Amino acid sequence: MKWQDDIQYLKGVGPKKAALLAKLGIQTMFDLLTWYPRGYEDQSALTPIASLHAGETATVSGSIMNLTEKQGRSRKMSILTALVGDGTGFLQIIWFNQKYLKQQLKIGCRLFVTGKATYAYGGQGQLAMSNLSSFQILQDGEAPEEALGIQPIYSATEKLNQKFFRKLMHTLLENPPEWQEVLPESVRTEYALMDRRQAFGAIHFPKDFEELQAARRRLAFDELYLIQCGLLLIKKQGRESRRGIRHLSDSRLTREVMDSLPFRLTGDQAKCLCAVKSDMEKTVPMRRLVQGDVGSGKTVIAMLALVKTVENGWQGALMAPTEILAAQHYESFRKQLAPFGIRVGFLSGRLTKKKRQELYDAMEAQELDIVIGTHALIQEGVHFAKLGLVVTDEQHRFGIAQRAELEKKSSRLPDVLVMTATPIPRTMTLTIYGDLDVSLIRELPPGRQPVRTFVRRPERRPLIYDFVHKEIEAGRQAYVICPLIEMNEELPIPSAEEVYEELRHGIFRDMRCGLVHGRMKAAEKEQVMQDFYENRVQLLVSTTVIEVGVNVPNASIMVVEHAERFGLAQLHQLRGRIGRGSYRSYCVLVSESKSQTAKERLQIMESTADGFQLAEEDLKLRGPGQFFGSMQHGLPDLKIADVLHDMDILLDARRAAMQTMERREDMRFVRPILSMQYGEHFKQIRDV
Ligand code: ADP
Ligand code: MG
């Protein structure tokens, strides 16, 4: 048996169960092994019934004193109740719809149960447990097999319950395929890590919490270490590559374009541009990430870098995440660059076949210097005569895999610059974007006024919209953001369509209103955006489609309906659409949510404009989940490590991975493991 073998060959599984397991994503022995518990329950201490409190989760053992079976109100439901006593008190144990248990439960039997105690229905203060997380029926004199231990709790389903998983895990751990070490000896000793086999045993069935802790550390370390090795290998490979393009240091054109800007670069922008230029002037291909909060002015960095490549006789590509954004960039680039004879093209998704072919031909004949578009830009069939620089706006949709695609395209590797507004803590940046060099823009352009943010209850809507009306009268424009597109009977909240109808026939009937959402045709959507851009639409009702990048400096007010339905980072992105000009800007978050956490969450928006802080708060509140993989597209999801709470493990793992890069025999050890575990994620690593 091997770790890669199909799970159906494990004793106790078979094709039927295998199909159910596959639905959870468990296909191999290794998948099962790494189906880590989502929690544990401590059964190492029995609680006397007399000292049990309502709301407490505990393990209790006692004898069945009485048994009753009732029919629920809905007839179909059967309710089985056992009264259990342990000499200190009595407790009701209740099972719903588990008739089959009746055969097994007998008065006098001993029960061993873990669950949460609640007050029994009509029981005058007596306690009950339903929803048991585990129970065992013990025959005379039998000791509970699970007793006195910490038990794993798995993400289970109706058909695959806890008991099934626990048993299966025991089977696997007792008869495992051959264990394989994933860490070089030197790393294991230096970081004092638990043995890997022992760690897997302990993560599922820990002796105590101390052992569990050590096991988690080891397994999280393994995971983070291998991913770090992958990222660092990609980086190292890039460093050693001489296939890059060596741009010359600046001369006339770049400087002239810079001088033609209506503003001077901020200190951070200048620093960032300097790093970009110096990367471009090396033969090692540039792989740089520019991270800067919304509105920090990343676009101009991209523009100047693109001009530099053009000046050196190369072509540049700018990829935007949406068609709307690409169109906007195209407009502003053309205006800015045409006077210098730089030819800018727009590869719109809406071009006719003929027009598109013309554009392709122009790119291939180098009749265009800079081409702007969405992902379509680097797809199959698109050829640049001399591609010198690729810039992508909003990194999270352009990850490792896409960069790998690029590398295949030509013998000379274009420089790559990625820009993201997703604020994540610095240490995390280093790790998640471990294959990139990072520049940070923290400073906002001068004259920006922070957006004033208010959380308001829906009763205040008339007042809020009155205020919006006044702002529009004064010449400004406004956004109204709604979480849903159209009416949904299950959710009692107004949709974008409804709000739009309400506003344009109501208080804003004398103004030009527009609606934009993700389900509209691309052409319609762009038309509305263009109208808003050119102030033909004054009030724009929208879903989150406007979240990224849209730049309308005259828009100074935003109302977010049902703000509690958005994440903080998302609200921050939305809010970043206003406060882009010199006008005083306002963001009103309308929410009727009564929950305390929802309120607190929104209040954070009132108190800070720092995207990094908001992102951290958001992570804490929502948990990291699949954060890692979604952050940098193409990274594997983490199964056990947690980038937020395991920061110290992460830093250790990164240090260890860096040491590994320096040691030949360690590298030789790690590469095959990397290809086995994460091969498909790190395809572009040669020999992996
Ligand atoms: P983002 O980083 O969110 O992509 P943009 O590049 O769209 O931000 O810039 C936001 C706005 O700030 C634009 O209108 C841009 O012209 C302006 N801007 C950029 N840099 C400066 C600067 N140094 N001084 C003044 N305004 C600037
Ligand atoms: Mg931008």
Side-chain angles (χ1 to χ4, degrees), residues 262-266 269 292-300 441-452 549-556 572 575-586 609:
F263 48 74
R264 294 191 45 188
L265 296 186
T266 62
Q269 279 174 319
D293 212 343
V294 282
S296 61
K298 296 181 290 295
T299 318
V300 65
I441 308 184
R442 293 213 70 159
E443 191 181 350
L444 292 183
R448 286 290 165 73
Q449 301 191 28
V451 176
R452 293 159 175 243
V550 176
N551 187 24
V552 181
N554 188 47
S556 66
H572 180 66
R575 182 171 62 181
R577 299 309 105 218
I578 56 173
R580 303 196 136 228
S582 51
Y583 308 107
R584 179 170 282 188
S585 299
Y586 305 90

Side-chain angles (χ1 to χ4, degrees), residues 298-299 329 393-394 549:
K298 296 181 290 295
T299 318
H329 283 324
D393 196 357
E394 300 307 332

Side-chain angles (χ1 to χ4, degrees), residues 28-175:
T28 65
M29 306 287 170
F30 190 71
D31 291 341
L32 179 68
L33 181 71
T34 52
W35 189 251
Y36 296 114
R38 65 175 164 78
Y40 299 86
E41 59 196 15
D42 189 2
Q43 301 183 345
S44 47
L46 289 180
T47 304
I49 293 175
S51 54
L52 194 62
H53 297 285
E56 183 185 3
T57 298
T59 300
V60 169
S61 167
S63 308
I64 300 181
M65 320 296 286
N66 191 14
L67 267 174
T68 53
E69 191 189 4
K70 272 188 297 194
Q71 208 120 72
R73 216 174 299 166
S74 76
R75 280 274 152 163
K76 278 190 203 128
M77 191 197 283
S78 89
I79 306 172
L80 206 56
T81 307
L83 186 70
V84 168
D86 71 345
T88 72
F90 298 98
L91 174 72
Q92 288 183 14
I93 310 289
I94 302 166
W95 290 271
F96 296 103
N97 289 332
Q98 305 203 28
K99 276 192 156 167
Y100 67 93
L101 280 177
K102 228 175 84 186
Q103 324 304 327
Q104 301 170 35
L105 295 166
K106 300 260 151 42
I107 290 179
C109 266
R110 224 153 68 77
L111 272 180
F112 183 81
V113 299
T114 305
K116 187 170 170 180
T118 52
Y119 287 113
Y121 181 70
Q124 284 151 11
Q126 186 171 49
L127 293 177
M129 277 185 192
S130 51
N131 264 326
L132 303 177
S133 49
S134 84
F135 75 95
Q136 277 179 71
I137 305 161
L138 305 178
Q139 303 310 322
D140 255 357
E142 191 187 29
E145 62 176 81
E146 294 180 352
L148 312 179
I150 300 169
Q151 289 299 311
I153 304 171
Y154 296 100
S155 292
T157 61
E158 206 175 327
K159 289 193 179 117
L160 305 172
N161 57 21
Q162 292 302 334
K163 213 169 164 179
F164 170 79
F165 273 111
R166 289 175 185 173
K167 194 156 166 226
L168 214 55
M169 223 50 100
H170 274 300
T171 312
L172 182 67
L173 289 170
E174 275 155 24
N175 250 316

